[in-house]
Amino acid sequence: MDVKLETSWDDLPLMANTSHILVKHYVLDLDVDFESQIFEGTIVLFFESRNRLEKQSGSTKETCRSESNEACRFSTPEPCHSPVTDTRTSSSKTGYNDFAICGKGEKDTSGKDGNHDNPEQASGISSSKYCCDTGNHGSEDFLLVLDCCDLSVFKVEEVDVAVVPGIETFTGSSQIAFVSEELRNQIVHELVTLPADRWREQFDYYAHCSQAPGCGELLFDTDTWSLRIRKTGAQTATDFPHAIRIWYSTKPQGRSVTWTSDQSGRPCVYTMGSPVNNRALFPCQEPPVAMSTWQATVGAAASFVVLMSGENPAKPTQLREGRASWHYYVTMPMPASTFTIAVGSWAEMKPEICSSEDLAAETSLTPSEADFRCVGVCGHMEYPCRFQNPSATTQEVIPHRVFAPVCLQGACYETLLPLVRPCLSAAHSVLGTHPFSRLDILVVPANFPSLGMASPHIIFLSQSVLIGMNHLCGTRLCHEIAHAWFGLAIGARDWTEEWLSEGFATHLEDVFWAKAQQLAPHEAWEQQELKADLRWRCLQDEVRNYPEEMQVLRPNKEKTGHVSDSGSSVIKHGLNPEKVFMQVHYLKGYFLLRFLAQRLGDDTYFAFLRKFVHTFHGQLILSQDFLQMLLENIPEEKRLDLSVENIFRDWLESSGIPQLLPDQLVLLLEHLLEQKTLNPRTLQSLERTYQLSQQDAEVRHRWCELIVKHKYTKAYKDVERFLQEDQAMGIYLYGELMVSEDARQQQVARRCFELTKEQMDRSSAQVVAEMLF
């Protein structure tokens, strides 16, 4: 039986049964309709069953139980009627200009009878028959579960990959005499496991296969969070068709897609990175472990520009009059949540032509960059990796394009465009090889709910960063560039550990931005200290205003990364609207990394970070992967009391503000002493949060200064204790008590002197007496 996951009302379910079967590649073929505000078309999914993957690799990080025990199987229902009566074969409506694919056909219109919003009417399967039956194993079918919501699904069919010209090369024979389910699945297996150096051939065949005719419709059903598909008689994931086509459309209210107008008043649409990720854009496997490649062709009116997370800078292919298609692809396996699209009347900002000196700087290899070369075999699944490409390791600035609504062209030329090269170069100087080969930057419409968002090969920026000086634009651009390494090339295996993405990007944005500005070390230090102070105050506000359970960076604790037997999981608080506005995972993660960098020293810390990137790029990690490798690389004399368990306890598994080192508390209190006024409630919260009266003398001295400056009478006892017990440091407090000309404070000073003057050092006693009398 499947392990049940604990959920609450605001948790986001990830339903896909990834422990049984994994999507290895998606082919999307969609049209954009701005009048009806939908994407409509097909998606073809190519699978590999997990037991076949494990036989091939020998072992995996997440051990799957046998399918006979683990797969959720269902008794075979007798469908009320055929899911779709029109069985016409339809090939892709647009050509794949990157791969020289020919053949166009008409779009399938079957099932469009107005009933497809009702999942039972759309599929022809009664949801009441989808109940788990574990007793009658002789008639159970394997059920494919995909993450899906807010979609209208019209038809699901198996794809007959065996009829694709030339496909017999994957069967080991010169011609195909008899086509079986096993043969089709063997073809897909050979296709998805082609070596990385044959990726062009592989993607060419993916495109051809996606246009192959259907060879049988599959039964399906939808519920709130999933699309469930089965084939009668296919009792295991190995038997289930490994290439299927889904005919569907999005809905205008779908939570993955935003239909709006840009700042010039022209219609546009973009994916917004909502809590439901891309499941309202296409049926997919959402759990991050389901890493896949994809290629997508999107048709739109010829006046629009289509941008996507793709390795190629796509150019439009003209179709019939007034229509064009855009084709993008990605060869690095990524979670489906990272797929991004934006369609609008975007204008491209062209940078000035680079001088020969600039071009040479992009490709030259300096001695300090020699460490960036990847040594040995990468640890990720096979793909065309830039870290193994010598020319990529020395490329300081990757090719990039900037797009925006027409009315913002001037602001982009003035503010954004000049920053892209120095920010990319700065990132390379810190972390080395850019994980992605190119970058598009789009200034999105005003209703975009964030200052920025990073996806493979594309960054969304808010118009807000264009106004004023370039500081906000530069820091935000650096933040999103940092996500290329942390969040994309290296992802979190458990999405509740957001600090692994946002904490790193927040810490690195300061470092990148200082280098992009070419600041002197003392200038960079001053700028970063100011940012730290501002972030500390923001974090204090977060701690006061949000529930404790939402302040924890590792909420699943020892269960982090665990999933149910089927592979499904939940994102804690993933549907809580407040979480979108929280910055705790940004700020606590930032302060943890700042603490570690200060403990090790910047040189040691960033040398380790480059080593970590080389080790884990292209992979998913948990907090312990980073911390264990870090501690293994720390010299013994710098490790002191650091341990994975202590960091979990103090930083990642507790609410509130982490315990600070004394020097950090002193710095905080020094900043607060510069403030003219502080509310008594702020002082009370400060004392309670950090237990200031129990800290060392350096901290308590600053605390007493705050008490005196702001006449915080409730804590005068702390001043009296300090004057009596810490005579080596308390002399100047007498002066501050007297200078205030506050009768009660002067009374405190005189009373403490009377109690201690007999034991006080003679010189000290003389100095204090002159202050008091």
Side-chain angles (χ1 to χ4, degrees):
M1 292 293 291
D2 201 17
V3 173
K4 299 299 181 184
L5 294 164
E6 296 181 6
T7 61
S8 65
W9 68 271
D10 64 349
D11 292 339
L12 175 67
L14 304 180
M15 303 294 290
N17 51 342
T18 54
S19 292
H20 309 150
I21 192 168
L22 286 176
V23 179
K24 305 302 291 182
H25 188 78
Y26 298 93
V27 179
L28 291 97
D29 198 351
L30 302 174
D31 268 335
V32 183
D33 187 336
F34 279 96
E35 185 175 344
S36 58
Q37 295 191 337
I38 62 169
F39 286 91
E40 185 174 26
T42 65
I43 181 170
V44 177
L45 296 80
F46 296 86
F47 296 98
E48 184 80 313
S49 58
R50 289 297 290 261
N51 70 328
R52 190 191 292 260
L53 284 171
E54 289 182 15
K55 287 179 182 178
Q56 180 182 355
S57 63
S59 64
T60 60
K61 292 182 180 179
E62 298 174 9
T63 303
C64 291
R65 297 185 178 90
S66 68
E67 288 184 60
S68 60
N69 293 329
E70 185 183 42
C72 187
R73 305 168 188 276
F74 289 77
S75 297
T76 305
E78 293 297 328
C80 302
H81 57 270
S82 175
V84 181
T85 57
D86 188 340
T87 58
R88 289 175 299 169
T89 298
S90 176
S91 60
S92 177
K93 58 186 173 294
T94 56
Y96 290 83
N97 56 323
D98 286 82
F99 300 99
I101 302 301
C102 60
K104 297 182 176 74
E106 293 184 5
K107 192 188 310 178
D108 187 288
T109 58
S110 58
K112 298 178 186 177
D113 57 359
N115 295 328
H116 55 253
D117 284 346
N118 183 325
E120 293 187 15
Q121 290 176 323
S123 66
I125 298 176
S126 170
S127 60
S128 64
K129 295 182 181 179
Y130 268 17
C131 54
C132 196
D133 180 0
T134 60
N136 186 7
H137 293 283
S139 61
E140 293 168 354
D141 293 330
F142 170 78
L143 188 74
L144 170 68
V145 182
L146 298 176
D147 293 297
C148 167
C149 71
D150 302 331
L151 295 178
S152 297
V153 178
F154 309 132
K155 180 171 69 172
V156 182
E157 63 183 355
E158 181 177 359
V159 178
D160 192 0
V161 297
V163 303
V164 172
I167 205 70
E168 61 273 4
T169 60
F170 296 114
T171 67
S173 61
S174 59
Q175 60 182 3
I176 298 175
F178 174 73
V179 177
S180 65
E181 188 73 69
E182 183 179 1
L183 178 65
R184 293 191 190 96
N185 287 353
Q186 178 62 29
I187 291 171
V188 174
H189 167 72
E190 296 296 331
L191 176 57
V192 301
T193 56
L194 280 178
D197 60 1
R198 296 175 64 185
W199 73 266
R200 290 186 181 276
E201 176 188 2
Q202 181 186 48
F203 276 51
D204 190 13
Y205 273 109
Y206 278 140
H208 278 291
C209 288
S210 73
Q211 297 178 3
C215 57
E217 295 181 19
L218 304 176
L219 303 175
F220 69 91
D221 188 26
T222 58
D223 60 20
T224 304
W225 293 113
S226 67
L227 168 63
R228 298 163 179 260
I229 306 168
R230 65 180 183 82
K231 178 178 180 178
T232 302
Q235 297 188 358
T236 69
T238 304
D239 301 330
F240 188 81
H242 282 25
I244 67 171
R245 180 185 294 114
I246 302 171
W247 301 79
Y248 78 100
S249 73
T250 63
K251 297 181 180 180
Q253 70 274 20
R255 284 164 283 180
S256 298
V257 183
T258 298
W259 299 88
T260 187
S261 297
D262 68 16
Q263 292 86 339
S264 297
R266 299 177 180 179
C268 63
V269 60
Y270 62 88
T271 52
M272 58 185 297
S274 70
V276 301
N277 292 321
N278 279 323
R279 68 181 72 186
L281 178 63
F282 58 91
C284 57
Q285 290 183 331
E286 277 276 274
V289 69
M291 307 231 306
S292 60
T293 52
W294 59 74
Q295 57 199 109
T297 298
V298 174
S303 59
F304 288 101
V305 174
V306 178
L307 301 177
M308 240 185 285
S309 47
E311 294 173 18
N312 57 312
K315 300 297 181 182
T317 298
Q318 297 303 314
L319 302 176
R320 60 186 182 273
E321 185 178 354
R323 301 288 295 178
S325 72
W326 303 69
H327 180 68
Y328 290 87
Y329 59 86
V330 167
T331 62
M332 176 182 175
M334 301 285 293
S337 61
T338 62
F339 181 93
T340 304
I341 187 170
V343 184
S345 301
W346 320 123
E348 182 179 356
M349 267 55 67
K350 302 281 188 180
E352 294 181 4
I353 298 176
C354 300
S355 66
S356 57
E357 291 80 6
D358 290 334
L359 293 174
E362 289 186 17
T363 57
S364 63
L365 178 64
T366 63
S368 63
E369 292 165 343
D371 293 338
F372 298 156
R373 289 186 178 275
C374 186
V375 179
V377 179
C378 297
H380 52 71
M381 65 182 76
E382 191 178 7
Y383 66 85
C385 178
R386 285 174 53 80
F387 285 80
Q388 292 290 344
N389 183 341
S391 63
T393 63
T394 62
Q395 189 178 30
E396 294 180 25
V397 180
I398 56 176
H400 53 274
R401 306 183 298 183
V402 175
F403 295 86
V406 174
C407 65
L408 294 179
Q409 280 182 285
C412 286
Y413 273 117
E414 181 178 351
T415 304
L416 174 57
L417 198 59
L419 295 176
V420 180
R421 288 178 56 82
C423 289
L424 287 171
S425 179
H428 180 272
S429 72
V430 176
L431 294 180
T433 307
H434 289 281
F436 302 104
S437 58
R438 56 174 292 275
L439 176 65
D440 284 340
I441 301 170
L442 172 66
V443 179
V444 285
N447 66 343
F448 187 70
S450 171
L451 288 180
M453 185 179 79
S455 300
H457 311 282
I458 187 168
I459 286 173
F460 289 174
L461 287 180
S462 166
Q463 65 174 16
S464 300
V465 305
L466 300 177
I467 301 171
M469 300 175 65
N470 67 5
H471 181 80
L472 179 59
C473 188
T475 55
R476 195 66 205 189
L477 181 58
C478 286
H479 182 102
E480 304 307 336
I481 288 173
H483 276 312
W485 287 268
F486 292 95
L488 296 175
I490 300 175
R493 188 148 59 92
D494 186 327
W495 279 337
T496 61
E497 296 195 314
E498 294 168 85
W499 82 273
L500 289 169
S501 173
E502 299 300 351
F504 276 92
T506 304
H507 189 232
L508 287 167
E509 77 176 59
D510 294 353
V511 181
F512 291 178
W513 181 230
K515 288 185 175 294
Q517 298 172 92
Q518 300 181 340
L519 297 181
H522 74 278
E523 293 175 315
W525 181 87
E526 289 175 355
Q527 188 178 92
Q528 291 168 15
E529 288 300 308
L530 176 60
K531 291 284 286 189
D533 188 21
L534 294 172
R535 287 177 180 138
W536 189 259
R537 297 181 189 203
C538 182
L539 180 55
Q540 288 179 309
D541 289 339
E542 296 262 313
V543 168
R544 283 193 293 266
N545 295 324
Y546 287 103
E548 287 189 2
E549 65 269 18
M550 295 181 69
Q551 301 172 23
V552 179
L553 302 190
R554 192 171 178 260
N556 290 334
K557 298 184 179 179
E558 72 280 357
K559 295 182 180 179
T560 295
H562 287 202
V563 297
S564 72
D565 287 345
S566 71
S568 62
S569 58
V570 298
I571 307 301
K572 299 295 291 182
H573 309 298
L575 293 176
N576 189 326
E578 286 189 332
K579 192 172 186 294
V580 177
F581 303 99
M582 288 185 63
Q583 298 184 61
V584 167
H585 45 286
Y586 291 75
L587 298 174
K588 286 181 70 173
Y590 157 80
F591 279 109
L592 169 57
L593 297 172
R594 177 179 163 87
F595 159 72
L596 293 172
Q598 290 177 336
R599 173 68 70 89
L600 273 65
D602 281 351
D603 291 343
T604 301
Y605 174 76
F606 286 107
F608 160 75
L609 209 56
R610 290 191 289 271
K611 182 177 180 180
F612 181 79
V613 166
H614 283 311
T615 301
F616 282 101
H617 70 273
Q619 301 177 66
L620 302 172
I621 65 169
L622 299 173
S623 296
Q624 53 264 39
D625 297 316
F626 171 73
L627 296 173
Q628 286 169 355
M629 183 174 174
L630 176 72
L631 295 178
E632 289 170 2
N633 284 267
I634 292 180
E636 188 66 36
E637 66 273 11
K638 293 186 177 181
R639 192 173 305 175
L640 299 178
D641 59 343
L642 286 180
S643 69
V644 174
E645 293 74 20
N646 289 346
I647 295 173
F648 279 170
R649 182 195 65 218
D650 297 340
W651 289 89
L652 303 182
E653 295 180 356
S654 59
S655 61
I657 296 177
Q659 183 178 354
L660 297 186
L661 291 175
D663 286 348
Q664 292 173 305
L665 275 175
V666 168
L667 179 61
L668 171 64
L669 297 177
E670 288 279 5
H671 283 307
L672 293 177
L673 281 167
E674 297 172 3
Q675 304 303 308
K676 292 183 178 180
T677 59
L678 285 177
N679 191 293
R681 286 181 299 176
T682 300
L683 293 167
Q684 182 181 23
S685 175
L686 193 68
E687 197 284 328
R688 184 173 58 248
T689 300
Y690 298 110
Q691 299 180 320
L692 294 176
S693 61
Q694 301 175 33
Q695 298 292 337
D696 67 22
E698 289 279 8
V699 175
R700 286 186 288 111
H701 185 268
R702 271 71 172 188
W703 169 231
C704 289
E705 288 184 282
L706 277 175
I707 295 169
V708 173
K709 178 175 180 177
H710 298 287
K711 297 181 174 61
Y712 184 45
T713 57
K714 290 184 177 180
Y716 278 2
K717 62 182 184 303
D718 291 341
V719 177
E720 294 179 7
R721 174 192 163 200
F722 193 88
L723 290 175
Q724 295 175 59
E725 296 181 5
D726 298 277
Q727 295 184 29
M729 300 183 65
I731 299 300
Y732 295 106
L733 274 180
Y734 281 105
E736 293 178 34
L737 286 165
M738 298 304 295
V739 167
S740 68
E741 297 184 356
D742 178 86
R744 186 168 177 182
Q745 288 193 358
Q746 292 180 345
Q747 183 181 11
V748 168
R750 292 190 174 105
R751 182 169 63 251
C752 289
F753 183 65
E754 287 299 321
L755 292 172
T756 59
K757 66 180 180 181
E758 299 299 330
Q759 296 83 30
M760 191 178 288
D761 170 75
R762 181 177 301 177
S763 297
S764 299
Q766 183 177 348
V767 170
V768 173
E770 291 175 356
M771 293 179 186
L772 301 183
F773 305 106

